[in-house]
Amino acid sequence: MAVASISAVALLATACGGSSDDGGGGEGGSGGEVVVNGCTPENPLVAGNTAETCGGNVLDTITAKLIHYDSKTAEPEMDIAKSIDTKDNQHFTVKLKKGYKFHDGTEVKAKNFVDAWNYTAYGPNAQQGSYFFEPIKGYADTQCTGDDEEDPCKGSGNKAKSKKLSGLKVVDDHTFTIETTEKVSNLPLRLGYTAFAPQPDSFFKDPEKAGQNPVAAGPYKFDSWTKNQSIKLSKFDDYSGEFGGKADKITFKIFKTQEAAYTALLGGEIDIIDQVPSNALVGDKFKSDLGDGKYLEEPNSTSQWVGMNPHVDKKLSDVNVRRAISMAIDRKTITKQIFDGAYEPSTGVVSPVVDGFKKGQCGEYCTFDPAKAKKLLKKGGGYDGKLELTYNGDGGHKEWTEAVCNQIKNNIGINCVATPTVDFATMLTKLGKNELKGMWRMGWVMDYPSIENYLTPIFSKGASSNYYQYDNPEFEKLLKQAAAADDQEEANKLYQKAERVLEKDMVAIPLWYGKAIMGWSDDVDNVKSDPFGNPVLNEVTVN
């Protein structure tokens, strides 16, 4: 999921791990309220229409899915699913645990998954998570067929043929089947992602209203959302899963900047900040600010890069110009001076924490070489005028984006200017409308632990987060071959080849790999980071 802050405030949309003292959500635990920094969601809180961290963090806390990712290892384990079986990686049978409840008291049944997935997949519903259902049989029939790339549902005669995925079948209240058009070896691994969450029957009566007051099946339930101020949750007393919470309430307090959130932490206004801002990293200032035992530093799955859409900004259409910009950036110096060495310069878009990572995928184009960069820029026809690097103002990106622009300006003579948007939601909306020229900062934290998650949802044709409008037949072919591979080792090799193709095209300039650097107050304890870079909120205790 696209991340709002430098290290991942999370898309990831995976439920946080850990269990309460009694294994459920209703009794036991520490009680009290935990206040954590948050940001403004791009859309209403609908699981199938959330592809960024501001809304994803909230949905992670209130949803339950078929599987749950372990809070230490990210290994998948059964949650609502009792079993997910397949003999050929193309036909899957899912059996649910009985008695699992939504926050409105109704039981989670097979139809709640099938109906939710059909709703998300159906093109006219314009859900950002639709693309995740592309492998399921019948997906093409649920999509509009118009020529307008931005809205293929425009005009007459372009409507979808079907509202339902033919590959989904309800067998009984607690069993449904999935059929994919081709083999998908890691399909069960994906099913802990937010887009695959079930929806209660009440959702379909008024989906728009449901997004303002979401009903899910996780350990915490939604209470209220005060725009630009806070989102409040409370423990669900009838939670029937194994990953219950300890605090009675969790509040996401919304801040315009990460620096403001850090000041609020030091002033006692919040309990946890999920990412210490860069100005507190220099000289390890945050360590003296917070004191021993009140912070953590752990590698996570965040990968940060600068994105470009050559179709929107024709001055970036020549690959040599894009490569020149990349080679003009001294990643090592920036990570040392801006982040005090906290982050590692990257050589590809895939994070080192996932199975299948391969170092050096970007090759020479991620190597700092101003002389070679100047030659490539000249070969590509140069770049006239101002080159904007857009970043979201609520994510703590000002210092490093300005440093990147200064290097581009000094090393290859392009007039680069770092320009903020109000927040991440605003930036994503503009990207979705193809309104941003130049470059823009982007980050990704895994939705599920797979190299595939850094490629397919972001860069494949028609993907929900493909703001680059990237379309390379060779890349697409390798993705399909990898998905159909008989074993993970073979799949990983094919995904690595696909990443290499992507890096040669350079629509995303890799910058650095992230690390979770969290801080907390004396009022809370047992603060941990999961592999996705999020605080494990359901395990936090209140002193």
Side-chain angles (χ1 to χ4, degrees):
M1 184 157 290
V3 293
S5 76
I6 182 67
S7 105
V9 217
L11 177 24
L12 172 327
T14 53
C16 296
S19 60
S20 66
D21 293 343
D22 66 341
E27 303 293 339
S30 69
E33 179 182 12
V34 174
V35 183
V36 62
N37 69 298
C39 48
T40 303
E42 179 187 10
N43 299 311
L45 295 171
V46 176
N49 199 33
T50 298
E52 44 71 41
T53 62
C54 302
N57 286 344
V58 178
L59 288 168
D60 286 348
T61 313
I62 66 173
T63 57
K65 280 82 70 177
L66 290 173
I67 68 170
H68 168 273
Y69 300 116
D70 184 85
S71 62
K72 294 181 180 179
T73 66
E75 287 296 316
E77 50 194 347
M78 296 299 171
D79 190 355
I80 300 178
K82 182 178 180 180
S83 62
I84 303 173
D85 296 320
T86 182
K87 294 181 179 179
D88 59 3
N89 286 330
Q90 192 167 359
H91 299 81
F92 302 83
T93 298
V94 180
K95 292 186 178 295
L96 308 181
K97 295 172 182 175
K98 296 181 180 179
Y100 217 113
K101 293 182 179 179
F102 284 111
H103 298 152
D104 62 5
T106 59
E107 186 180 3
V108 180
K109 296 183 178 180
K111 71 182 296 292
N112 297 113
F113 281 97
V114 171
D115 290 349
W117 295 7
N118 281 329
Y119 177 85
T120 303
Y122 185 52
N125 289 334
Q127 299 293 285
Q128 290 194 19
S130 173
Y131 184 78
F132 285 90
F133 297 90
E134 189 270 342
I136 298 177
K137 187 178 179 181
Y139 177 80
D141 289 339
T142 66
Q143 304 305 296
C144 297
T145 57
D147 295 329
D148 190 314
E149 289 188 9
E150 292 188 20
D151 186 0
C153 293
K154 281 184 178 180
S156 60
N158 299 324
K159 303 303 179 184
K161 294 180 181 179
S162 175
K163 289 186 175 182
K164 297 181 179 181
L165 295 162
S166 60
L168 295 179
K169 303 291 183 184
V170 175
V171 178
D172 56 44
D173 279 353
H174 301 98
T175 309
F176 69 98
T177 59
I178 308 168
E179 182 181 355
T180 56
T181 52
E182 299 176 4
K183 291 183 178 181
V184 184
S185 57
N186 73 341
L187 182 67
L189 182 67
R190 304 181 190 187
L191 300 181
Y193 176 55
T194 305
F196 295 99
Q199 293 287 5
D201 294 344
S202 60
F203 171 85
F204 303 98
K205 297 176 182 178
D206 192 343
E208 185 174 344
K209 183 178 179 181
Q212 303 297 332
N213 189 19
V215 173
Y220 287 89
K221 62 183 180 66
F222 175 88
D223 288 338
S224 66
W225 178 359
T226 304
K227 189 176 180 181
N228 298 325
Q229 294 184 33
S230 65
I231 297 175
K232 295 181 178 293
L233 317 175
S234 62
K235 186 185 290 187
F236 177 40
D237 289 338
D238 290 332
Y239 173 65
S240 40
E242 299 178 5
F243 311 103
K246 295 186 176 181
D248 288 336
K249 298 180 180 180
I250 295 175
T251 295
F252 291 88
K253 189 170 182 178
I254 296 171
F255 292 92
K256 291 183 178 180
T257 68
Q258 205 76 351
E259 291 81 5
Y262 185 67
T263 300
L265 174 67
L266 298 181
E269 295 178 42
I270 64 174
D271 299 308
I272 301 172
I273 186 169
D274 59 9
Q275 184 60 34
V276 171
S278 58
N279 61 359
L281 299 179
V282 179
D284 284 341
K285 181 177 180 294
F286 71 98
K287 295 182 180 180
S288 57
D289 284 345
L290 298 171
D292 291 341
K294 296 301 175 184
Y295 61 84
L296 61 79
E297 298 179 84
E298 293 181 9
N300 64 27
S301 64
T302 309
S303 182
Q304 192 86 199
W305 59 77
V306 169
M308 293 168 282
N309 186 335
H311 303 281
V312 172
D313 192 338
K314 300 299 183 181
K315 291 185 290 185
L316 291 169
S317 60
D318 193 296
V319 68
N320 291 300
V321 175
R322 305 195 295 270
R323 290 170 176 173
I325 293 171
S326 177
M327 297 188 76
I329 301 171
D330 186 351
R331 296 158 177 80
K332 187 175 181 180
T333 295
I334 291 179
T335 54
K336 182 179 180 180
Q337 293 183 350
I338 304 295
F339 305 118
D340 204 42
Y343 305 127
E344 177 187 352
S346 55
T347 60
V349 297
V350 176
S351 167
V353 307
V354 299
D355 182 39
F357 166 77
K358 185 177 182 180
K359 189 175 182 180
Q361 291 286 70
C362 189
E364 66 172 326
Y365 302 123
C366 283
T367 303
F368 178 52
D369 189 338
K372 181 70 177 290
K374 288 178 182 178
K375 291 179 181 179
L376 285 171
L377 182 62
K378 183 178 180 180
K379 184 178 180 181
Y383 189 98
D384 294 326
K386 182 172 67 174
L387 172 63
E388 284 193 306
L389 170 50
T390 303
Y391 66 94
N392 52 297
D394 59 347
H397 303 290
K398 184 176 186 293
E399 288 84 357
W400 75 258
T401 52
E402 290 180 348
V404 166
C405 268
N406 285 334
Q407 290 190 348
I408 293 171
K409 186 184 302 181
N410 295 335
N411 293 324
I412 55 176
I414 295 178
N415 182 22
C416 183
V417 178
T419 305
T421 60
V422 174
D423 52 29
F424 196 44
T426 301
M427 192 180 86
L428 289 178
T429 298
K430 287 180 176 292
L431 283 173
K433 295 179 179 179
N434 294 324
E435 292 179 354
L436 290 185
K437 289 189 175 183
M439 308 185 298
W440 17 270
R441 60 75 36 190
M442 185 53 67
W444 191 262
V445 60
M446 62 184 181
D447 302 313
Y448 41 87
S450 170
I451 180 177
E452 179 269 337
N453 186 236
Y454 289 81
L455 302 173
T456 307
I458 317 172
F459 300 107
S460 66
K461 184 178 180 180
S464 59
S465 294
N466 190 350
Y467 301 116
Y468 323 79
Q469 289 186 280
Y470 185 62
D471 181 9
N472 183 316
E474 183 182 1
F475 180 77
E476 299 293 325
K477 181 181 178 180
L478 287 165
L479 291 183
K480 288 186 177 181
Q481 290 176 345
D486 291 331
D487 60 69
Q488 196 59 48
E489 184 178 356
E490 180 187 355
N492 285 346
K493 288 180 179 179
L494 290 165
Y495 283 127
Q496 288 166 358
K497 288 183 178 180
E499 185 189 7
R500 183 64 175 156
V501 170
L502 172 70
E503 298 299 356
K504 287 181 179 179
D505 288 336
M506 195 57 72
V507 292
I509 297 176
L511 294 176
W512 38 78
Y513 305 121
K515 178 190 289 187
I517 306 178
M518 298 179 186
W520 56 92
S521 72
D522 292 331
D523 295 332
V524 294
D525 208 347
N526 200 39
V527 180
K528 303 174 184 176
S529 173
D530 65 24
F532 302 94
N534 304 312
V536 186
L537 293 177
N538 61 329
E539 292 189 14
V540 176
T541 57
V542 179
N543 295 330

